[in-house]
Amino acid sequence: MSDSTEAASKRNAEVVRRYLRVFETKEVAEFQELVAEDVLVHGAGFHGQGRHHPEGAVLTPGLSNCRVRVDDLFAAGDRVTVAFTLTYTHDRSGRDLTMTGVKSYRLREGRIVEFWGETDLYGLLRQAGLVPEQIPPF
């Protein structure tokens, strides 16, 4: 990897780390600097466009005190892939709930312009008692 590619990879990894920290701070105004207004968002059968999608994910009602753990991060040029664990406080029960996920980000000029990802929403909902422990047969 060339020095310039390596430097870009490090800068882009730091942008993604800052993006993930917003889940803890809830300072969504920071997304103006980190995420393109017309960011493309893909995952869980959803394809959308606009910064309001990640902002809404940060401000999920009923979940507070998010703690982010980066389990793995790989950066190469304009791409950064992260495996992570989010731990929330469930406001209604006061219990901690965890959700794991993997996301792949594409960056341009220091901003996230597109990301693909999957999170274990079923696992989070199961821990909250909102879906059955066992997936029923189809």
Side-chain angles (χ1 to χ4, degrees):
M1 195 180 307
S2 74
D3 284 343
S4 62
T5 302
E6 188 171 328
S9 298
K10 286 181 180 181
R11 282 192 307 274
N12 289 336
E14 183 54 30
V15 168
V16 171
R17 286 182 189 279
R18 287 179 58 203
Y19 168 84
L20 291 171
R21 276 194 294 274
V22 172
F23 281 79
E24 294 179 337
T25 67
K26 295 194 182 280
E27 297 290 334
V28 293
E30 191 171 354
F31 279 172
Q32 293 175 14
E33 188 179 325
L34 303 172
V35 181
E37 177 67 38
D38 60 348
V39 64
L40 298 171
V41 179
H42 312 280
F46 173 80
H47 301 281
Q49 187 170 18
R51 190 184 303 135
H52 62 281
H53 292 295
E55 288 173 352
V58 167
L59 302 174
T60 301
L63 299 174
S64 59
N65 190 30
C66 180
R67 283 90 71 205
V68 177
R69 185 181 73 218
V70 173
D71 300 313
D72 193 26
L73 184 144
F74 177 79
D78 68 343
R79 307 293 171 136
V80 178
T81 299
V82 180
F84 56 88
T85 301
L86 304 178
T87 302
Y88 293 97
T89 300
H90 182 227
D91 295 342
R92 193 170 30 176
S93 70
R95 292 184 17 240
D96 280 349
L97 310 177
T98 60
M99 179 171 63
T100 57
V102 176
K103 297 215 179 208
S104 181
Y105 303 88
R106 185 170 59 84
L107 293 89
R108 184 180 326 119
E109 298 175 2
R111 284 199 170 143
I112 297 168
V113 296
E114 182 174 22
F115 64 89
W116 290 81
E118 297 297 330
T119 55
D120 182 17
L121 181 58
Y122 182 83
L124 182 80
L125 295 172
R126 182 182 44 74
Q127 292 168 67
L130 299 172
V131 294
E133 284 290 324
Q134 301 266 334
I135 297 175
F138 284 63

